[in-house]
C-alpha cells in the first residue's frame, strides 16, 4: 500500500509473456493472501493485438493456428493496447505515452522485451520508402507474421537469413506454405547456441527432407532491389526485393527475405531515464533497477551479467517479482531471484498439404522434437554419453562433469527429457552406482 493509504499502483510496460504473467500472478497473490497490500495494475501494450505467445508465431505463419489461438489468458487489471510509452518521469513517477496520456505509478515494471537485430546489409535500409524494402521482413511480432503470411504463396522464392531457433522456425513455416526456401546461416551449423554439431546435422537433414535448402558458413552481403517498374499489377514498383547477394557474389533469386539474425534487448526507455544499462537493464536479486521504484523482467533484464531471452526465464522472473510485490509486511516470504536454468524446446511439425514431397525416409519427413539445456559442448575431462538411432532419426547426448549433469541435447526422441531436466535443474550429485547410460534410456539402460 502506498504511503498515503491508497492502493499501490503498479504499471507494467510491455504486453508480452513477462508482463502478462506478472499481472496474473499479482492478482493471484493478492487473492491468496489477505495480508497482501492492495494493488492496482495497469498494463501498457504497444501492439494493438491481444497479448500472445510469441513462441508460436511460426505456427501462425505455417497456417496451423489462427492468431486468436495463440492469445495469452487475459491479464487482470487495466490493459491498454496500442499505447507506446515514450518517457519515464522518475521525479514525478509518471509514464508519458505517445497518445499524450500520463500514467502515475508507485512501482514501475519494465517488460519491454527485445527488438530484432537488423544486419548490416547493403540495400537493407530504405529510409526514403519508410523502412525495409518491399519483400523484406523481420519475424518478431504478430504484425511481422501477418505481413509475411499475406505475401507467401506456393512457389514463392524465400530466403531466410539466420539459422538460429527463429530462423529454423520461419524456414519450416514457409516450407509448410509451399514456398521454395533457402536458409542461409553464417555460422558453422544450425542453432549454434543450443545444439552440438551432431544434433545440428540431424536437424539439417530434417529441414532438407522438407524441401528447405540449407547453406551454412554462408555470409550474406546485401540485397538486390528491382529498380524497374515491375510487370505485375501486384508489384509495388521500384525498390522491391529481387535477390539476396552472398559474400562470394552469388545471387539467390528471392521474392521474400526473412531476417532472423537474433534480438537485442529494448533498453531505450531505461537508458533515457538514467537507469543502469549494460547489454540489458541491470537488475538485482529482487529484480530492481538502479531506481528502487522501478523493476525489469524478461528479455530486457540483465541479471547477474546474463541475458536469458527465453520464455522460461521471463516466467520465473515474473513469479519472483509478484511474490515480492504482494508480500505482506509480516509474511517473511523470500522473493529473491537467483537465476534460471533454462531448457530450450522446439517442435517442428511434419509438413502438410502444400509442402514439397519429402523423401519417404522414416523419421525425416515426419515431425521433429528437440530439446537442449545447459552446456552441450564438453570441457576436457568431462564424460559424454551419446545414443544415435539413424533409422528413427533420433539423437541423445548428455555431458557429465564430475558427479553433476551439466547439459544435454535430444532430437527426435524426448522420452527421457523430463527426468534429465529435473536432474539438471536440481543440480544434485548423480548416484555413484548408476551407469551414465541410464540417463539416456527410460529403462535404465537394460
Amino acid at each position: 500500500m502506498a504511503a498515503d493509504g491508497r492502493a499501490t499502483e503498479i504499471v507494467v510496460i510491455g504486453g508480452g509473456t513477462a508482463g502478462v504473467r506478472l499481472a496474473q500472478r499479482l492478482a493471484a497473490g493478492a487473492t491468496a493472501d489477505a495480508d497482501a497490500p492492495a494493488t492496482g495494475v495497469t498494463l501498457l501494450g504497444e501492439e494493438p493485438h491481444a497479448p500472445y505467445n510469441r513462441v508460436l508465431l511460426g505456427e501462425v505463419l505455417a497456417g496451423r493456428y489462427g492468431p486468436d489461438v495463440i492469445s495469452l489468458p487475459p491479464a487482470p487489471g487495466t490493459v491498454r493496447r496500442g499505447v507506446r510509452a515514450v518517457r519515464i518521469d522518475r521525479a514525478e513517477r509518471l509514464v508519458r505515452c505517445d497518445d499524450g496520456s500520463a500514467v502515475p505509478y508507485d512501482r514501475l515494471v519494465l517488460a519491454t522485451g527485445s527488438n530484432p537485430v537488423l544486419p548490416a546489409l547493403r540495400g537493407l535500409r530504405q529510409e526514403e520508402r519508410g523502412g525495409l524494402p518491399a519483400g523484406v521482413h523481420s519475424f518478431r511480432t504478430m504484425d511481422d507474421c501477418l505481413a509475411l503470411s499475406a505475401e507467401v504463396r506456393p512457389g514463392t522464392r524465400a530466403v531466410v537469413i539466420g539459422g538460429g531457433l527463429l530462423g529454423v522456425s520461419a524456414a519450416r513455416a514457409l516450407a509448410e506454405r509451399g514456398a521454395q526456401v533457402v536458409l542461409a546461416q553464417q555460422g558453422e551449423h544450425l542453432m549454434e547456441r543450443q545444439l552440438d554439431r551432431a544434433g545440428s546435422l540431424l536437424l539439417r537433414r530434417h529441414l532438407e527432407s522438407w524441401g528447405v535448402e540449407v547453406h551454412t558458413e554462408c555470409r550474406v552481403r546485401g540485397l538486390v532491389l528491382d529498380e524497374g517498374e515491375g510487370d505485375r499489377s501486384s508489384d509495388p514498383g521500384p525498390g522491391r526485393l529481387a535477390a539476396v547477394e552472398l559474400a562470394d557474389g552469388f545471387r539467390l533469386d528471392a521474392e521474400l527475405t526473412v531476417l532472423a539474425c537474433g534480438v537485442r534487448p529494448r533498453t531505450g526507455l531505461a537508458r533515457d531515464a538514467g537507469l543502469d544499462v549494460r547489454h540489458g537493464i541491470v537488475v538485482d536479486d529482487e529484480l530492481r533497477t538502479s531506481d528502487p521504484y522501478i523493476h525489469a523482467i524478461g528479455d530486457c533484464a540483465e541479471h547477474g551479467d546474463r541475458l536469458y531471452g527465453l520464455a522460461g526465464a521471463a516466467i520465473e522472473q515474473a513469479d519472483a517479482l509478484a511474490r515480492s510485490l504482494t508480500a505482506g509486511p509480516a509474511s517473511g516470504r523470500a522473493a529473491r531471484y537467483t537465476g534460471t536454468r533454462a531448457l530450450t524446446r522446439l517442435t517442428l511439425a511434419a509438413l502438410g498439404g502444400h509442402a514439397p514431397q519429402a523423401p519417404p525416409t522414416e523419421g525425416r519427413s515426419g515431425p521433429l522434437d528437440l530439446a537442449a539445456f545447459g552446456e552441450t559442448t564438453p570441457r576436457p575431462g568431462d564424460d559424454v554419453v551419446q545414443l544415435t538411432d539413424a533409422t528413427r532419426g533420433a539423437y541423445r547426448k548428455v555431458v557429465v562433469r564430475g558427479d553433476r549433469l551439466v547439459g544435454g541435447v535430444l532430437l527426435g526422441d524426448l522420452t527421457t527429457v523430463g527426468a534429465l531436466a529435473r536432474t539438471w535443474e536440481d543440480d544434485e550429485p548423480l548416484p555413484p552406482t548408476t551407469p551414465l547410460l541410464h540417463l539416456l534410456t527410460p529403462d535404465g539402460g537394460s
Side-chain angles (χ1 to χ4, degrees):
M1 186 170 291
D4 57 6
R6 59 181 172 80
T8 299
E9 293 296 326
I10 300 174
V11 175
V12 183
I13 302 177
T17 298
V20 170
R21 175 74 172 200
L22 177 63
Q24 292 168 345
R25 301 312 297 166
L26 286 171
T31 300
D33 188 350
D35 294 328
T39 60
V41 180
T42 298
L43 187 71
L44 304 177
E46 184 173 329
E47 295 187 54
H49 311 282
Y52 56 88
N53 184 347
R54 202 178 302 277
V55 174
L56 295 176
L57 281 176
E59 300 302 314
V60 175
L61 178 59
R64 293 181 178 274
Y65 298 156
D68 56 316
V69 175
I70 71 168
S71 294
L72 297 171
T78 301
V79 178
R80 297 178 60 188
R81 301 183 198 168
V83 176
R84 184 168 63 91
V86 295
R87 188 165 67 88
I88 299 169
D89 188 333
R90 292 169 56 190
E92 298 293 330
R93 291 194 200 167
L94 293 172
V95 177
R96 310 281 183 183
C97 301
D98 61 350
D99 62 358
S101 62
V103 184
Y105 68 86
D106 296 304
R107 296 282 184 147
L108 176 62
V109 181
L110 302 177
T112 49
S114 53
N115 282 328
V117 172
L118 299 182
L121 300 180
R122 187 169 59 203
L124 178 61
R125 298 287 189 174
Q126 296 289 300
E127 302 299 341
E128 69 277 10
R129 297 185 176 100
L132 299 179
V136 181
H137 301 266
S138 53
F139 187 46
R140 182 66 180 164
T141 68
M142 181 63 76
D143 283 340
D144 293 335
C145 182
L146 295 178
L148 263 171
S149 185
E151 289 197 38
V152 67
R153 299 285 187 276
T156 297
R157 296 186 300 275
V159 177
V160 177
I161 302 174
L165 185 65
L166 194 62
V168 167
S169 297
R172 195 275 303 174
L174 291 170
E176 172 77 13
R177 298 287 298 275
Q180 300 175 25
V181 185
V182 176
L183 177 58
Q185 159 72 336
Q186 183 168 326
E188 292 184 7
H189 57 260
L190 301 175
M191 291 184 61
E192 290 177 309
R193 291 183 59 187
Q194 293 87 15
L195 301 181
D196 63 357
R197 182 175 180 81
S200 174
L201 289 174
L202 181 59
L203 172 60
R204 176 173 182 161
R205 287 199 293 271
H206 273 81
L207 287 173
E208 290 174 340
S209 76
W210 293 331
V212 177
E213 184 179 330
V214 179
H215 296 275
T216 55
E217 298 184 88
C218 173
R219 189 169 67 85
V220 175
R221 180 164 62 188
L223 306 177
V224 180
L225 306 181
D226 182 1
E227 297 301 340
E229 293 299 324
D231 56 5
R232 295 177 298 175
S233 59
S234 61
D235 283 340
R240 184 174 182 86
L241 175 73
V244 172
E245 185 178 17
L246 305 182
D248 61 5
F250 186 79
R251 292 185 176 186
L252 299 169
D253 289 342
E255 298 163 271
L256 285 179
T257 290
V258 179
L259 305 175
C261 305
V263 295
R264 181 177 293 116
R266 295 186 66 178
T267 60
L269 271 176
R271 194 181 301 275
D272 291 345
L275 301 179
D276 187 8
V277 174
R278 295 181 198 143
H279 296 293
I281 304 168
V282 178
V283 295
D284 62 14
D285 287 352
E286 294 181 40
L287 297 164
R288 293 177 303 189
T289 68
S290 51
D291 182 325
Y293 297 100
I294 302 178
H295 304 260
I297 57 175
D299 288 6
C300 67
E302 180 179 334
H303 174 266
D305 297 322
R306 183 169 180 182
L307 290 162
Y308 288 94
L310 296 169
I315 289 171
E316 288 191 12
Q317 291 170 3
D319 290 352
L321 181 55
R323 290 194 300 271
S324 176
L325 295 177
T326 58
S331 69
R333 287 184 295 176
R336 300 180 73 82
Y337 174 74
T338 57
T340 295
R341 295 174 71 82
L343 180 144
T344 299
R345 190 162 182 171
L346 177 66
T347 295
L348 299 174
L351 296 188
H354 294 299
Q357 291 297 315
T361 303
E362 183 181 358
R364 293 190 183 179
S365 59
L368 175 66
D369 292 311
L370 67 87
F373 58 91
E375 299 179 45
T376 60
T377 301
R379 299 177 185 173
D382 289 349
D383 291 311
V384 179
V385 185
Q386 299 181 82
L387 289 178
T388 302
D389 187 334
T391 302
R392 297 182 180 179
Y395 171 72
R396 286 171 281 173
K397 166 188 168 180
V398 291
V399 180
V400 176
R401 182 169 302 144
D403 60 358
R404 297 295 202 280
L405 176 65
V406 297
V409 178
L410 297 93
L411 284 89
D413 182 355
L414 303 192
T415 53
T416 60
V417 68
L420 286 172
R422 286 191 296 273
T423 301
W424 173 64
E425 289 169 355
D426 292 343
D427 196 27
E428 295 292 334
L430 297 171
T433 58
T434 301
L436 293 181
L437 185 64
H438 175 81
L439 297 171
L440 293 179
T441 54
D443 59 1
S446 61

